Amino acid sequence: MKNNKDLPVEEHSGPLMADVARLAGVAISTVSRALANPGRVNEKTRAKIDAAAKQLGYTPNAMARGLRVGKSNVVMIVLPGSLYYGVSQVIPQVLQGINRSLSQNGYHLMIANLDRDEISERHILDLAFGGTVRGAIILSSDLPVDGGRSLKDSALPIVSLLFDMSHAALPSVVTNDRQSVRDATSELIALGHRRFLYLAGPVGNYHDNERYLGVLEALAEAGLSETAVIRSGGTLDYQHGFQIGVAAAAEFADLTQKPTAVIATSDDMAISFMSCVQRMGWKIPADLSIVSFDGAPVCEYSSPPLSTIEQPVEEMGQLAVSLLMERIDAPERGAATRHVISSKLIRRESFGPARPSI
Amino acid sequence: MKNNKDLPVEEHSGPLMADVARLAGVAISTVSRALANPGRVNEKTRAKIDAAAKQLGYTPNAMARGLRVGKSNVVMIVLPGSLYYGVSQVIPQVLQGINRSLSQNGYHLMIANLDRDEISERHILDLAFGGTVRGAIILSSDLPVDGGRSLKDSALPIVSLLFDMSHAALPSVVTNDRQSVRDATSELIALGHRRFLYLAGPVGNYHDNERYLGVLEALAEAGLSETAVIRSGGTLDYQHGFQIGVAAAAEFADLTQKPTAVIATSDDMAISFMSCVQRMGWKIPADLSIVSFDGAPVCEYSSPPLSTIEQPVEEMGQLAVSLLMERIDAPERGAATRHVISSKLIRRESFGPARPSI
DNA sequence: CAGTTTTTGGCAATCGTTTGCTAAACCTCT
DNA sequence: AGAGGTTTAGCAAACGATTGCCAAAAACTG
């Protein structure tokens, strides 16, 4: 094993556990036990070993360990297409929170982008089935499939974030999209608004569904008809939020009976919508109230400052991680619970009482 | 090897290469060669093997392969603290571009957050020295150190992105911060501006240095004194861009001799500054011209639309990846080249001729 | 059909660590 | 000093793939 015959160099990599053992004057198995198990080795020798390891700058080979014990310390996050883009900052904040929590648990974060193409799906499945990752957090309503393999029937612990996938047996961490939009809408109704414009995400999308239902519920509760709200958009993905807002502004300009309040499902849409509509001469909030979703920091600095429903993404990310840790530690496959963390409306100047008449 | 004595179950993981070999009726070494080497095996048997692999849903174990061949297919990106936050979207776009390029090269992306604390530095070094990652792209001007280990003297191929670290023997991909700011400043001078306010990033920061130098160079070229520019900020990190802008607005209000043009080193600062200053009654661009840096999409929708120097971050990310691939393939340790990709000023309504007099 | 080339099959070593085992070494306490 | 209990050494077998080697088999060639 250590008879490196007559090969003088071993440039390939750093010091091995055998080197540490030799320097510390102990057996290799003792080193292994000292570094991994807490109590199985005497304190004095452990100190000796630690010193030797530090002196050599020894770092255990993660792949060798992973291969042996059959597990890795990597978690992957599956992100839909380019959900980056724009301003909403939801994804970066999520990454931030998740990465921090994972670090504290001794895990690393790997990014897997779920584009529509076959190759990215295969990559994700390779990670999942190739033993590279120990668990996954997904931000998408459909799991990748390739050939005979599917994330769904992998033994990998998975937690869904932002999307409610508890029906698919995945523990899910979501915000109360519907309720928070419903509350916001009710508030607008209380301010006298009776006609609404809803800026939609892609039709069929979980968030768009929920938020729109929130609007409808508020209307119903107030005894208003569903015709009180006009849907705009629905074809583009959230990543094209700005375009959606621009298009919606044009649509708004053409309406004969103008709504007095706008509910946007992302800050991007709201920002570009507001900008366009102001350029056309409408006053916010005098002519038109606007409320949007996400809670991007920039909303505070638009003119007027934009009211938005803030998602506690960092907190959600942390919860997702701790759920994942539970699943990893105790792989009992029951109880796909749904955890809701409430968003809250940040009230700013972009909305106010409805204009008396239109 | 395959005499699993009398253990009935092997739930641990999916099918092995041995299973594929058995199903395809070939030897295990043939399977290995078929899946890795392109030409070493007959086309017919390779097809048989592929079919068997697909039927079983076989995925090679990445850690076993990695251990054997001594390399992984993971690249890590080292991000400074929480550079996320805000609106500038530089980081998310960088991640996007890098991840896409890496995927095309068969690599995966791992995120390593370089917070100030010791634990995160250790994590990064564990990744580097533990054989987990094959290369690194860093977005920071200082490399992590822990105990006797330092990224600097690891054999890991590293490429620096956004920061010029060619002096530290790292190939670097940067934009022409200085030149682009200089050009923008010159343009403002040509419009009659003679007094400037510069919204600074943290003092000592590479980008802040470069961009400020750009301003100074433009002033010098026009025969103006350095006193023509007032620096504001310099204490907070870029992640607190909004706060910097707010503080700068207050500072601006107190100035007895007002500048007529503002040069901000990030979009965040510019946005919050503009918002505050407008609220105080100043008109943009009539009273004050503003130009900022980054090229966040949202700038198009502020009021007035914000002029900004757009960094081609996606392109820079791609270049960084291809440089890294070169380093990986040919680990000759020479030529730490510096690659510059030009940013360009996007002219919008936030700047114009200087107000006749102040 | 013999001779040559291409393709496979087996075998075995290897990557660096973990872990079960037995026996030896050490320590503590009467 | 010997009993009883901890620790450690040393050995060896994993983990799942890659790879060099040689012989066997198959496929071509003339």
Side-chain angles (χ1 to χ4, degrees), chain B residues 192-265:
Chain B
H193 296 276
R194 291 297 176 268
R195 299 190 57 76
F196 299 88
L197 180 64
Y198 173 86
L199 306 195
V203 35
N205 172 276
Y206 168 76
H207 297 114
D208 184 61
N209 276 344
E210 287 293 314
R211 293 170 196 174
Y212 190 59
L213 281 175
V215 174
L216 294 185
E217 287 185 4
L219 292 180
E221 187 185 40
L224 297 175
S225 153
E226 290 198 7
T227 60
V229 57
I230 301 170
R231 269 183 73 103
S232 173
T235 58
L236 292 174
D237 218 329
Y238 279 116
Q239 63 193 269
H240 303 108
F242 290 124
Q243 294 175 41
I244 296 174
V246 171
E251 206 172 317
F252 173 80
D254 286 345
L255 290 176
T256 52
Q257 243 192 334
K258 307 287 187 217
T260 62
V262 175
I263 298 157
T265 52

Side-chain angles (χ1 to χ4, degrees), chain A residues 145-181:
Chain A
V145 178
D146 173 79
R149 306 176 303 170
S150 158
L151 247 204
K152 201 162 318 193
D153 44 47
S154 96
L156 205 67
I158 302 180
V159 171
S160 172
L161 182 55
L162 287 178
F163 294 78
D164 179 12
M165 302 242 84
S166 56
H167 56 83
L170 295 184
S172 304
V173 177
V174 298
T175 190
N176 57 343
D177 296 82
R178 194 192 302 197
Q179 186 63 44
S180 56
V181 170

Side-chain angles (χ1 to χ4, degrees), chain A residues 2 16-35 40-41 45-46 48-50 52 58:
Chain A
K2 69 187 54 136
L16 267 34
M17 188 173 274
D19 300 319
V20 177
R22 199 178 312 124
L23 180 60
V26 299
I28 179 172
S29 37
T30 308
V31 175
S32 174
R33 279 181 266 261
L35 297 180
R40 296 297 301 154
V41 61
T45 48
R46 141 183 258 120
K48 227 173 21 181
I49 289 171
D50 281 351
Y58 170 73

Side-chain angles (χ1 to χ4, degrees), chain B residues 147-210:
Chain B
R149 307 175 303 171
S150 158
L151 246 203
K152 202 163 316 192
D153 44 48
S154 96
L156 205 67
I158 302 181
V159 170
S160 173
L161 181 56
L162 287 177
F163 294 78
D164 179 12
M165 303 243 80
S166 55
H167 56 84
L170 296 183
S172 305
V173 178
V174 298
T175 189
N176 57 345
D177 296 82
R178 192 191 304 195
Q179 185 63 44
S180 56
V181 170
R182 175 178 171 162
D183 290 348
T185 306
S186 296
E187 199 160 327
L188 288 170
I189 293 174
L191 285 168
H193 296 276
R194 291 297 176 268
R195 299 190 57 76
F196 299 88
L197 180 64
Y198 173 86
L199 306 195
V203 35
N205 172 276
Y206 168 76
H207 297 114
D208 184 61
N209 276 344
E210 287 293 314

